[in-house]
Amino acid sequence: MEAKDSKKIFGWSGPAAGAAIFRIIKEIGPLSRTEIVKQTGLSKSTVSVHTKKLLEMGLIKKEKEKTDKAGSVGRNRQLLKFAKNNGYIIAIDLGATGLNVALCNLDAEIIEMKVSDILVNSGPKKVMNKIDQLIKELLESNQLEQKKIFGIGMGVPGPVEFSKGLPVSPPIMPGWHLSPLKQILQEKYKCPAFIDNDVNVMAVGEKHAGLAQDVSNFIFIKIGTGIGAGIICEDKLYRGSKGCAGDIGHIGIEGEEELCPCGNRGCLEIVAAGPAIAKKAKAAAKNRESEILLKILNKKGDLTAKDVGEAVRRNDLAAINIVKNSGQKIGQVASRLVNFYNPSLIIIGGGVAKIGNHLISAIKEEVLRRSTSLAVQDLRIELSQKNDEIAVIGAAAMAVNEIYSHDNVTEMMYLDGSSK
Ligand SMILES: [Zn+2]
């Protein structure tokens, strides 16, 4: 694998060259010094000076290359790789009805995850206290001091002004508007914290360790209480000018008139997300179109999208039609995204994505029917394989990407050099 922008790296000098070497080791290591020279176009002596410093700083570590079967090639050759276990990241995935807090290593691999079913609408004070409690438990059970936490990443179910880490008028998060989450976490844990919208975080997770590791242009669509999309463009998260790119839940659907809390009629979210599925299921039960749904309704007094999934698994025709109908509407919007953006992959995730294959096949059918033939030529539409963990992985990866950005590592190397 070649580094994509090795040409850019050539010509860099000083700490910036060190940061470029670090990135190559982190992304495609383990590598020998000779391979780094080849990848970067930098001189042997420059690579030698900077790798020495990166080792001293604890950013990379040495590894002996494993010998091949014949035992001849690579014996005693020294490789360099990212020191992913030299520190930890706390990753937080806050959903409408649940909270996951995980301890991860510096490569966003989950070491331990705590799950809690707190409601986001119980407000920031209660939820942030719960987060503190879970972080404390994670540190205790892994016998870690707080100073080993290098950063915190957090996804929340609403729009966020990323640079300031502030939720902005999040519709399902009453009381959280402009709540200074970044500041609160940074002051409490004395490390950098990064807050973003949950769908963005999930897209970053798929890029880092999910279905999209080798995909440069893709869209992650989350279907849950709401519907949103995270956009990865040329390997980077695209946030848009105000950070609300991908807010597809309020795109209008043909022939739909239902009033959305946003003030418009027939928005995708209000006619196809989890609550819409539950509402249609209740109507089907009351109209006696489905005995299974009626039984569940009578027993529980209410129906959720999860119950519809259960009825689908039991081949209930009314439930299957409700799910297909949602899939068609999501597919209608997805086809517009495909025509506009030409991704090579669409990943479907979120709680409602677990409802069964009828949802994704309806989305696929609709996209194929409505998109231009060139746009769908190599297009794949797939269900997230790590649906329950992808937000936590993405929150950790977002923090790692920010902490070890080119500029930050350049600065670390500069400060380290001048202090000696
Ligand atoms: Zn709307």
Side-chain angles (χ1 to χ4, degrees):
M1 191 176 157
E2 292 245 351
K4 275 181 192 153
D5 41 8
S6 53
K7 281 197 185 74
K8 260 192 247 166
I9 291 161
F10 180 76
W12 272 347
S13 58
I21 291 169
F22 170 69
R23 201 184 71 212
I24 284 191
I25 294 172
K26 180 170 173 284
E27 284 176 12
I28 60 174
L31 290 172
S32 70
R33 287 182 179 83
T34 316
E35 285 164 333
I36 297 167
V37 167
K38 226 162 96 186
Q39 288 282 346
T40 57
L42 294 165
S43 74
K44 245 183 177 174
S45 58
T46 306
V47 168
S48 171
V49 167
H50 288 301
T51 52
K52 186 168 172 258
K53 194 159 170 194
L54 289 165
L55 282 164
E56 281 167 12
M57 291 167 72
L59 289 176
I60 59 170
K61 59 185 267 188
K62 291 178 191 168
E63 181 186 79
K64 276 256 166 71
E65 187 173 39
K66 289 186 188 80
T67 49
D68 69 357
K69 275 177 197 156
S72 57
V73 180
R75 181 178 282 171
N76 292 330
R77 202 168 66 135
Q78 199 178 63
L79 300 181
L80 297 169
K81 66 176 193 180
F82 178 42
K84 65 179 182 183
N85 297 315
N86 271 7
Y88 299 88
I89 299 289
I90 293 289
I92 304 163
D93 164 28
L94 177 60
T97 56
L99 169 70
N100 297 333
V101 180
L103 179 73
C104 298
N105 69 12
L106 298 176
D107 197 26
E109 293 164 338
I110 298 171
I111 294 163
E112 189 185 348
M113 183 157 91
K114 299 267 180 192
V115 177
S116 160
D117 53 7
I118 197 163
L119 296 172
V120 73
N121 63 14
S122 55
K125 200 170 172 208
K126 199 172 161 193
V127 173
M128 294 308 274
N129 280 340
K130 186 75 194 173
I131 289 172
D132 282 337
Q133 183 204 322
L134 296 179
I135 294 176
K136 205 172 156 222
E137 286 174 22
L138 285 168
L139 292 177
E140 271 170 18
S141 68
N142 290 277
Q143 297 179 320
L144 287 177
E145 288 175 71
Q146 192 179 301
K147 67 177 186 205
K148 289 300 266 182
I149 302 303
F150 285 13
I152 300 174
M154 179 177 185
V156 302
V160 173
E161 191 180 338
F162 179 75
S163 60
K164 294 182 183 155
L166 297 171
V168 182
S169 311
I172 63 163
M173 299 171 69
W176 290 77
H177 176 59
L178 299 184
S179 185
L181 304 182
K182 186 183 176 87
Q183 195 191 333
I184 292 170
L185 290 169
Q186 291 190 155
E187 281 172 9
K188 175 129 197 164
Y189 294 97
K190 314 271 181 274
C191 65
F194 307 92
I195 324 292
D196 205 345
N197 170 264
D198 57 355
V199 192
N200 282 350
V201 159
M202 290 165 113
V204 170
E206 293 288 352
K207 177 72 197 161
H208 183 78
L211 289 174
Q213 290 175 58
D214 299 319
V215 182
S216 294
N217 298 296
F218 75 94
I219 296 175
F220 183 96
I221 299 180
K222 181 195 174 196
I223 312 164
T225 312
I227 297 178
I231 303 161
I232 300 284
C233 179
E234 298 297 324
D235 296 309
K236 289 203 171 72
L237 180 68
Y238 178 76
R239 290 194 176 89
S241 68
K242 289 281 174 204
C244 55
D247 199 356
I248 61 169
H250 301 279
I251 293 178
I253 296 296
E254 290 164 16
E256 293 288 343
E257 283 300 319
E258 192 169 339
L259 187 65
C260 177
C262 80
N264 293 309
R265 287 186 181 275
C267 294
L268 175 64
E269 193 165 291
I270 203 79
V271 298
I277 291 173
K279 192 174 160 190
K280 285 176 200 162
K282 270 180 250 176
K286 283 176 185 158
N287 295 337
R288 306 214 160 245
E289 288 162 29
S290 161
E291 285 305 315
I292 296 175
L293 289 172
L294 183 61
K295 257 191 202 159
I296 304 174
L297 179 63
N298 285 340
K299 195 173 152 199
K300 290 172 54 179
D302 199 9
L303 281 174
T304 63
K306 209 173 165 186
D307 299 321
V308 179
E310 178 54 33
V312 167
R313 270 184 287 283
R314 290 158 69 184
N315 281 323
D316 181 79
L317 200 61
I320 290 172
N321 283 335
I322 291 168
V323 169
K324 274 189 180 167
N325 188 274
S326 269
Q328 281 161 358
K329 283 165 182 156
I330 296 161
Q332 202 184 109
V333 170
S335 73
R336 295 181 207 169
L337 302 181
V338 167
N339 287 342
F340 177 73
Y341 176 63
N342 188 204
S344 54
L345 173 67
I346 293 177
I347 303 172
I348 309 288
V352 175
K354 294 178 196 160
I355 211 161
N357 285 329
H358 293 286
L359 182 77
I360 192 154
S361 46
I363 295 174
K364 276 184 188 170
E365 261 172 46
E366 203 67 12
V367 169
L368 284 177
R369 198 167 70 81
R370 288 172 176 266
S371 307
T372 58
S373 58
L374 188 60
V376 294
Q377 214 170 56
D378 294 312
L379 175 68
R380 290 181 293 136
I381 301 177
E382 293 183 20
L383 273 177
S384 172
Q385 301 294 302
K386 297 182 179 170
N387 207 1
D388 293 330
E389 295 173 346
I390 207 70
V392 157
I393 295 170
M398 167 178 74
V400 171
N401 291 343
E402 295 288 337
I403 292 166
Y404 295 116
S405 71
H406 180 78
D407 287 352
N408 280 352
V409 177
T410 303
E411 198 182 326
M412 281 181 221
M413 294 200 76
Y414 174 75
L415 292 175
D416 198 70
S418 58
S419 65
K420 277 184 182 161

